[in-house]
Amino acid sequence: MFVFYSELSKHLTKKRFAPQDIVYNRRNRYICPVDNYLDNDIKFVAGVGEVRAKLLNHELNIRTVGDLLSHYPFRYIDRTRIYPIADITEAAGLSYIQIRARITGINPIGSGRSRRFIAYAQDTTGEAELVWFQGIKWIEKRIEVGREYIIFGRPTFYRGLLQLAHPELETVEQALSRKAESGMQGIYPSTEKITNSFGTKGFFQIICNAWAIARNHIHDPLPESLRRQYGLMPLHEAYRNIHFPQSAENLRQAQYRLKFDELLGVQLNIQQRRTERLSKNNGFLFPRVGDIFTSFYNNRLPFPLTGAQKRVIKEIRQDTVTGFQMNRLLQGDVGSGKTLVALMSMLLAVDNGFQACMMAPTEILARQHFATFTRLLDGTEVKTAILTGASKARERREALEGIASGKVQLLIGTHALIEDRVQFSNLGFVVIDEQHRFGVEQRARLWTKNAQPPHILVMTATPIPRTLAMTLYGDLDVSVIDELPPGRRPIKTVHYTDAARLRLFGFMRQEIAKGRQVYVVYPLIKESETMDYKDLTDGYEAISRDFPLPDYITAICHGKMKPADKEESMRQFKSGEAHIMVATSVIEVGVDVPNATVMVIESAERFGLSQLHQLRGRVGRGGEQSYCILMSGEKLSKESRARLQAMCETNDGFRLAELDLKLRGAGDINGTQQSGMAFDLKIANPTLDVQILTVTREAATEILTADRTLSQPENRGLEALRRRYSSREEIDFSRIS
Ligand code: ADP
Ligand code: MG
């Protein structure tokens, strides 16, 4: 904590502070204790203060000096490079540029809110316009007509003319005197409000101010020996080089070191927790394979299980007789038959006197699972119930009372399951379907419902390696269904542009004449986006026109409909009454109508690869040849084209997942995955930094084998590191998968 210098001066003799611990800002001098300098409130850094601190906190979640130092640049630009103005064109696609140009004139225009200040700059090759909307007085005072400046900023173009809004200006003399280290300058993640308040330069200045003091207070959490073993640069140097790179090689090493720390922190947590979980021995026991399971297996299975399904059920069964709590991730491509595995595992729980529940991400999916389960269990004594946000009073009451009394054995539902009023009598088994659709908190809340944790099975169609899965979701075991049910024919995928719409309609008629059904899906990125919405309703009208009643029945389904109407649409389509289903991506996950053979995806370029693959997985579920038709305009970005092409080339979810990563490059990983991630990482990307992930995993094992609780004095830093990455909010991560 900072303390006012004046208030503290009387204690100065008792407690010694080195000169570098005294922090000055404009009005006050503060003293900070040496040990936890990085924990100090950001407002005390010179140039910040109360107002900007609030802004930093609100916009970028930066509260302390340490947070600021861990706010890393996401890329670097070369400040030694100066472009001739003529070379900076729209086509060059440059995101930041630097020019050396003379100011030839200034022009303050407008008044009040629309006030602007324009300066004209010229080099030997061309002309540019510099514009300020804010801080006009400041720039007006400083800028000199006739003088040469180094000008740095983000280029935009207006009728081919280069414009720079709020550029940084330095006189040539200043620029020459600036100590050039590597010439690389970091570009920091920011928001509009932050840029308006600080300017790019101002933000960088604050990092410099913080660093000027912080550099004396960096404690390296890694023991020297460990650093040597893994060839890691000291933390102090890593911070310095990540913000002020001295060379490209130093920067690389700094990035490596900081990623290493994050992933090691995560690994220490995962492994320690795993040991803890396995030492507790408090898992429910399901020793019996009873009548319910056996008679289902013998008499009710609609088809023989695939080898992979059998194997996974066996793995789950083995887990539930050990006395340890199961935490298992089931990966299986779209259509591989995960639902049946879930049901049979839940029956095992019921056979042993426990309740089981299954949580699905959407209302439609929950209803569908419920319908499937009721059908398959019809005539058995297993009591099932459903609970969703849309449940009517009676359904809700029956579900709530039934599970509280123990009468209901299988409960299926949506997020509604995690509400407080849902009280189980003895919940022993939890299934989470399409788990990437749920946030960490949501998943966690489901299994805090019991004093003793239930076994947990989470299911996903997104295939990822185990180490990565653990880093994203916490400690777990992984099962894979790597085999599709027999008789599936690969779905044929083609890419059409709007010009082929007539052909598309012809094809749809042909399939419908064969008795098949068709999906037509429109993007809806945000449920509220009116534009998308219009596309969908327009599309519905167009299709109703081209496929008129009474020969054709078209159903519609989207997020804005009342649950009862959605349900009715789905029923029409499922029963075969409706031939065409026009929908938004609400049908993306899980919907199962085996008679549907055509999936038309409109504006396909607007979907991500995994989403396209999920959508395609809605067809090809019966024995018939199925088709996926990707519709788009003529104009496509390179990346969109590559995505659509990949879809046409392969049906393999694993390959598409890999490719998705490549196409997305170093950007963020699958947004939904990241938001569900159990650990808060700033620089490491577990999906891309696989090598570091593997190394830190080994390192963590080695460290914990020698000192399981990290209580040795030399491991004090490691324990701090572990704690730092232990949790997001107050969640018990040992229970998250
Ligand atoms: P997902 O893994 O994508 O959730 P589902 O569980 O919805 O897949 O199964 C997809 C389809 O395959 C369903 O229609 C289901 O009835 C069918 N199915 C599941 N297992 C088998 C099997 N062993 N043999 C034949 N069909 C199966
Ligand atoms: Mg499914």
Side-chain angles (χ1 to χ4, degrees):
M1 285 294 261
F2 274 96
V3 200
F4 282 108
Y5 183 68
S6 50
E7 284 169 25
L8 234 147
S9 53
K10 49 184 181 241
H11 302 297
L12 269 179
T13 42
K14 269 190 232 151
K15 217 171 173 198
R16 282 186 194 286
F17 291 94
Q20 70 262 25
D21 301 331
I22 301 173
V23 183
Y24 298 86
N25 80 2
R26 253 183 309 218
R27 250 168 278 132
N28 298 307
R29 291 184 292 173
Y30 302 104
I31 290 184
C32 62
V34 181
D35 272 353
N36 54 359
Y37 177 73
L38 296 192
D39 292 340
N40 277 305
D41 194 317
I42 189 71
K43 71 180 175 193
F44 297 119
V45 170
V48 181
E50 298 277 353
V51 176
R52 284 176 156 186
K54 278 218 182 82
L55 198 63
L56 283 170
N57 189 343
H58 189 257
E59 296 283 304
L60 299 173
N61 208 10
I62 295 175
R63 286 161 216 268
T64 64
V65 177
D67 291 344
L68 183 67
L69 282 191
S70 303
H71 188 68
Y72 305 123
F74 64 97
R75 46 185 229 92
Y76 296 82
I77 41 143
D78 185 353
R79 286 299 301 256
T80 54
R81 175 149 185 200
I82 291 187
Y83 289 87
I85 290 176
D87 286 3
I88 305 163
T89 59
E90 215 160 351
L94 300 161
S95 48
Y96 281 92
I97 49 95
Q98 188 165 246
I99 58 179
R100 177 178 177 153
R102 199 172 295 284
I103 300 298
T104 56
I106 53 172
N107 185 13
I109 45 178
S111 64
R113 282 186 141 263
S114 62
R115 223 155 84 87
R116 269 175 304 154
F117 181 85
I118 298 181
Y120 304 96
Q122 209 170 36
D123 70 3
T124 52
T125 69
E127 211 186 347
E129 225 174 74
L130 320 179
V131 194
W132 284 264
F133 302 98
Q134 267 151 14
I136 293 178
K137 261 197 206 130
W138 191 87
I139 190 72
E140 214 168 6
K141 254 192 242 153
R142 278 165 185 79
I143 201 162
E144 270 177 60
V145 175
R147 192 161 193 165
E148 208 179 12
Y149 291 89
I150 303 289
I151 302 160
F152 170 78
R154 189 194 270 282
T156 54
F157 299 88
Y158 180 69
R159 299 200 173 139
L161 178 71
L162 171 64
Q163 281 192 338
L164 300 170
H166 289 252
E168 280 175 34
L169 248 59
E170 250 179 339
T171 61
V172 172
E173 298 76 47
Q174 272 171 342
L176 289 177
S177 70
R178 187 159 46 96
K179 202 170 100 213
E181 289 196 315
S182 64
M184 270 184 291
Q185 183 177 321
I187 304 289
Y188 291 86
S190 189
T191 67
E192 204 181 318
K193 281 192 189 152
I194 293 282
T195 317
N196 285 344
S197 165
F198 292 81
T200 24
K201 207 166 180 180
F203 190 79
F204 188 66
Q205 194 54 51
I206 283 169
I207 299 226
C208 296
N209 295 350
W211 177 246
I213 297 165
R215 65 181 178 194
N216 298 309
H217 305 286
I218 310 278
H219 301 287
D220 201 316
L222 305 190
E224 167 81 42
S225 56
L226 190 75
R227 266 180 2 231
R228 214 170 320 115
Q229 186 182 352
Y230 291 96
L232 300 168
M233 143 190 285
L235 186 60
H236 175 269
E237 273 177 51
Y239 272 133
R240 173 175 149 112
N241 276 288
I242 202 86
H243 292 294
F244 321 101
Q246 291 165 296
S247 72
E249 174 55 22
N250 280 1
L251 173 60
R252 199 194 57 74
Q253 282 191 34
Q255 288 167 328
Y256 190 90
R257 164 69 210 251
L258 294 169
K259 288 176 179 183
F260 189 98
D261 279 23
E262 287 191 347
L263 294 176
L264 180 66
V266 168
Q267 287 297 328
L268 288 171
N269 276 295
I270 293 173
Q271 294 187 23
Q272 225 180 39
R273 254 141 204 189
R274 184 176 181 77
T275 319
E276 210 173 293
R277 174 164 69 94
L278 297 183
S279 71
K280 269 197 195 137
N281 212 0
N282 63 346
F284 290 124
L285 283 171
F286 298 175
R288 303 191 322 142
V289 178
D291 291 346
I292 296 172
F293 184 93
T294 315
S295 79
F296 182 85
Y297 186 77
N298 291 332
N299 312 321
R300 288 180 172 269
L301 265 187
F303 24 63
L305 295 178
T306 62
Q309 283 172 318
K310 278 191 201 158
R311 192 186 64 234
V312 173
I313 292 171
K314 212 181 270 170
E315 282 167 355
I316 292 168
R317 162 130 179 78
Q318 276 162 5
D319 278 359
T320 53
V321 295
T322 55
F324 301 121
Q325 184 226 344
M326 178 182 88
N327 226 356
R328 194 166 272 283
L329 173 68
L330 171 55
Q331 301 183 343
D333 205 348
V334 181
S336 60
K338 295 186 289 292
T339 317
L340 201 54
V341 171
L343 174 60
M344 295 184 67
S345 330
M346 293 196 288
L347 293 183
L348 271 178
V350 175
D351 257 339
N352 287 276
F354 289 96
Q355 293 173 304
C357 76
M358 177 160 176
M359 183 161 78
T362 64
E363 173 88 25
I364 290 180
L365 199 48
R367 299 264 160 209
Q368 176 183 288
H369 285 325
F370 182 63
T372 309
F373 293 172
T374 344
R375 180 167 43 84
L376 290 174
L377 296 172
D378 184 35
T380 69
E381 72 237 55
V382 183
K383 287 274 173 304
T384 53
I386 180 162
L387 183 68
T388 72
S391 285
K392 297 247 170 57
R394 181 157 157 240
E395 190 176 74
R396 175 176 303 269
R397 201 179 55 237
E398 279 177 8
L400 289 175
E401 284 173 10
I403 50 165
S405 70
K407 206 175 103 218
V408 166
Q409 294 151 305
L410 283 191
L411 180 65
I412 292 102
T414 54
H415 303 87
L417 295 189
I418 59 184
E419 287 169 16
D420 287 337
R421 59 182 145 173
V422 182
Q423 294 294 335
F424 291 87
S425 102
N426 62 341
L427 180 63
F429 199 93
V430 170
V431 181
I432 298 187
D433 194 16
E434 308 293 348
Q435 62 91 32
H436 62 280
R437 288 299 201 92
F438 294 99
V440 174
E441 293 80 0
Q442 292 172 329
R443 280 180 266 146
R445 280 184 48 194
L446 197 50
W447 40 96
T448 47
K449 289 200 171 290
N450 264 31
Q452 196 175 343
H455 296 299
I456 293 149
L457 180 69
V458 293
M459 312 202 292
T460 177
T462 316
I464 42 174
R466 175 161 183 261
T467 328
L468 174 56
M470 290 179 64
T471 311
L472 293 173
Y473 309 122
D475 158 42
L476 40 71
D477 295 303
V478 177
S479 291
V480 182
I481 302 188
D482 49 6
E483 184 186 351
L484 291 180
R488 293 277 169 83
R489 290 195 235 171
I491 300 159
K492 287 190 180 148
T493 306
V494 291
H495 172 203
Y496 281 175
T497 58
D498 288 329
R501 197 161 286 280
L502 280 182
R503 210 157 104 214
L504 169 70
F505 284 174
F507 179 70
M508 283 166 60
R509 281 199 192 91
Q510 211 178 305
E511 281 290 300
I512 294 169
K514 284 196 220 156
R516 313 271 171 267
Q517 290 163 283
V518 179
Y519 290 103
V520 182
V521 175
Y522 287 84
L524 194 55
I525 309 303
K526 274 193 251 131
E527 297 278 331
S528 62
E529 266 183 45
T530 37
M531 275 276 288
D532 284 341
Y533 198 62
K534 187 164 178 314
D535 282 355
L536 174 84
T537 42
D538 286 356
Y540 175 67
E541 272 169 29
I543 284 182
S544 308
R545 213 166 31 243
D546 279 278
F547 293 83
L549 291 164
D551 294 346
Y552 298 99
I553 297 179
T554 302
I556 184 167
C557 191
H558 57 78
K560 283 197 182 166
M561 282 163 69
K562 289 211 193 87
D565 296 342
K566 258 193 273 189
E567 212 178 306
E568 170 58 16
S569 283
M570 281 311 294
R571 189 203 56 76
Q572 276 190 348
F573 193 64
K574 272 196 122 150
S575 67
E577 230 168 85
H579 306 97
I580 303 173
M581 167 61 91
V582 176
T584 58
S585 41
V586 288
I587 61 143
E588 174 198 338
V589 285
V591 172
D592 188 36
V593 181
N595 189 48
T597 55
V598 184
M599 167 61 68
V600 181
I601 306 176
E602 295 285 350
S603 306
E605 75 277 11
R606 289 178 52 192
F607 291 95
L609 252 185
S610 62
Q611 234 183 338
L612 288 171
H613 184 60
Q614 272 280 357
L615 283 170
R616 175 166 63 183
R618 298 310 108 219
V619 296
R621 303 193 143 231
E624 306 300 330
Q625 177 62 58
S626 294
Y627 306 87
C628 174
I629 298 157
L630 308 170
M631 300 298 292
S632 81
E634 299 281 349
K635 257 196 175 169
L636 283 178
S637 73
K638 220 163 79 190
E639 202 200 303
S640 310
R641 197 172 289 281
R643 258 198 323 256
L644 300 186
Q645 199 176 340
M647 281 290 293
C648 296
E649 280 165 11
T650 181
N651 270 300
D652 182 341
F654 273 82
R655 273 193 56 198
L656 287 172
E658 251 170 46
L659 205 95
D660 200 20
L661 282 180
K662 266 196 214 137
L663 286 178
R664 283 164 186 270
D668 60 353
I669 33 171
N670 190 334
T672 47
Q673 262 181 26
Q674 194 151 43
S675 64
M677 194 149 105
F679 303 96
D680 187 12
L681 304 178
K682 298 259 185 306
I683 185 168
N685 179 340
T687 331
L688 297 171
D689 299 317
V690 181
Q691 189 255 337
I692 310 180
L693 194 58
T694 318
V695 174
T696 51
R697 189 164 173 234
E698 284 161 16
T701 312
E702 201 173 311
I703 294 164
L704 291 172
T705 310
D707 180 10
R708 196 169 62 83
T709 51
L710 296 178
S711 44
Q712 302 291 336
E714 72 271 21
N715 288 339
R716 206 182 290 156
L718 286 169
E719 172 59 13
L721 185 72
R722 183 194 68 75
R723 268 208 223 118
R724 181 163 166 201
Y725 291 101
S726 70
S727 70
R728 212 158 78 165
E729 312 303 306
E730 286 88 35
I731 302 160
D732 177 358
F733 280 93
S734 62
R735 294 174 149 203
I736 289 178
S737 11

